[in-house]
Amino acid sequence: MKEQGVIFFDIDGTLLNHDKELPSSSKKAIFKLKEAGHIVAIATGRAPFMFEDLRKELGIDTYVSYNGQYVVLNGEVLYTNPLNIPALEELTKVALNNDHPVVFMDHEDMKANVPEHNYINESIETLKIDRFPTHDPLYYKGRDLYQTLLFCPEGTEQQYENGFDAFDFVRWHPVSVDILPKGGSKAIGIKKIVDQLGITSERQYAFGDGLNDIEMLTTVTNSVAMGNAEDKVKAVAKHVTKSVEDDGIVHGLKMVGLL
């Protein structure tokens, strides 16, 4: 057997295609990796409850969720990095005045600060998950939150970026951005896992396609951008594979010598 490696996969646009389906070729490849003794992990901006079915289907119990803010190794929580609640409370007040709703998210659930809004419907529906945020404007009180969704059109997030330096803002949809703790990223979450596992950088791999994958693809030695990734994402990766729709996972694993 080759020396054990650890491979981190983003979900949307990497493991899952545009229709939020897992190509059969990708599923077979992941099981081949596991049979060969490698560790297969997920690194996503999603909440843990948004990909529970996928973890079960693939038999994965190590993951970086919330873009690095909630990290689990072998089914046990390894690292958390919650949001600054007083700053979030202030941001929420500004957002409400702008008719920009927010959704508060912890490791178990998500709650909107307004009863309903078209922006929330439009963006959450694209995830094709079986859960939708219910209304609880005080959900941020007395609990750790690892990410908040701010719903605002492209270009309007600038005022929040300028006014709230406790956070990073990463757009994932034309009307929604992720609010993360300043400096938080998938790369930090991955480092927590690989340090614990003691796996050398030469045996670390990462696949991604989105803007929130840039830090991960920049820092992981064997980085692979999907063919459907944006150009700025491809530019930082060591390798560029085919599109997720065109057996990109299998092709990329062959490129880096794992299949």
Side-chain angles (χ1 to χ4, degrees):
M1 187 190 90
K2 292 183 179 180
E3 185 183 350
Q4 185 182 54
V6 58
I7 307 97
F8 293 89
F9 293 99
D10 170 55
I11 293 179
D12 300 287
T14 300
L15 283 179
L16 301 186
N17 61 23
H18 179 73
D19 295 320
K20 304 303 178 187
E21 297 169 340
L22 176 68
S24 59
S25 62
S26 300
K27 183 175 181 178
K28 291 176 184 176
I30 284 171
F31 280 106
K32 283 184 181 179
L33 291 174
K34 295 173 69 176
E35 288 167 8
H38 299 300
I39 298 167
V40 178
I42 284 173
T44 181
R46 289 191 180 211
F49 55 81
M50 288 183 174
F51 61 102
E52 190 173 358
D53 289 346
L54 182 63
R55 296 200 306 273
K56 288 179 180 177
E57 182 177 358
L58 297 176
I60 292 175
D61 59 4
T62 293
Y63 58 88
V64 173
S65 63
Y66 282 135
N67 288 312
Q69 317 322 310
Y70 192 86
V71 179
V72 171
L73 174 61
N74 299 324
E76 300 291 331
V77 178
L78 176 66
Y79 170 76
T80 62
N81 183 31
L83 291 163
N84 180 317
I85 295 300
L88 181 63
E89 189 171 17
E90 289 302 311
L91 183 148
T92 301
K93 292 177 183 177
V94 175
L96 266 177
N97 288 333
N98 294 332
D99 191 31
H100 294 159
V102 301
V103 168
F104 306 113
M105 309 177 80
D106 64 4
H107 62 294
E108 294 178 326
D109 208 349
M110 56 181 172
K111 300 288 185 178
N113 70 331
V114 296
E116 59 179 306
H117 197 285
N118 287 339
Y119 288 168
I120 297 178
N121 297 339
E122 181 183 337
S123 54
I124 297 294
E125 284 174 358
T126 66
L127 297 174
K128 299 189 177 180
I129 55 177
D130 58 4
R131 189 185 302 210
F132 201 80
T134 52
H135 181 219
D136 184 351
L138 300 180
Y139 194 68
Y140 64 88
K141 289 184 176 289
R143 71 182 74 242
D144 285 337
L145 301 179
Y146 304 105
Q147 185 167 286
T148 291
L149 303 180
L150 170 65
F151 298 86
C152 60
E154 287 180 284
T156 61
E157 68 269 29
Q158 189 71 45
Q159 61 182 305
Y160 301 102
E161 293 173 349
N162 294 338
F164 296 93
D165 58 9
F167 306 125
D168 284 333
F169 299 84
V170 181
R171 183 163 291 280
W172 66 275
H173 186 274
V175 295
S176 186
V177 297
D178 295 330
I179 301 176
L180 304 171
K182 190 72 173 181
S185 72
K186 292 183 182 182
I188 291 175
I190 286 173
K191 188 175 188 306
K192 299 294 182 181
I193 289 175
V194 296
D195 285 353
Q196 188 74 15
L197 292 173
I199 293 180
T200 63
S201 63
E202 292 76 16
R203 303 300 297 164
Q204 298 170 22
Y205 305 81
F207 286 68
D209 73 296
L211 297 178
N212 62 339
D213 295 318
I214 287 177
E215 289 88 353
M216 172 177 78
L217 297 177
T218 302
T219 55
V220 173
T221 299
N222 301 292
S223 58
V224 183
M226 303 301 290
N228 47 278
E230 295 188 37
D231 288 342
K232 62 176 66 176
V233 179
K234 294 177 180 178
V236 302
K238 187 174 182 180
H239 305 279
V240 178
T241 183
K242 297 179 181 180
S243 165
V244 60
E245 312 277 357
D246 192 23
D247 297 332
I249 293 295
V250 172
H251 184 72
L253 289 170
K254 290 179 178 178
M255 290 176 74
V256 297
L258 287 173
L259 285 183

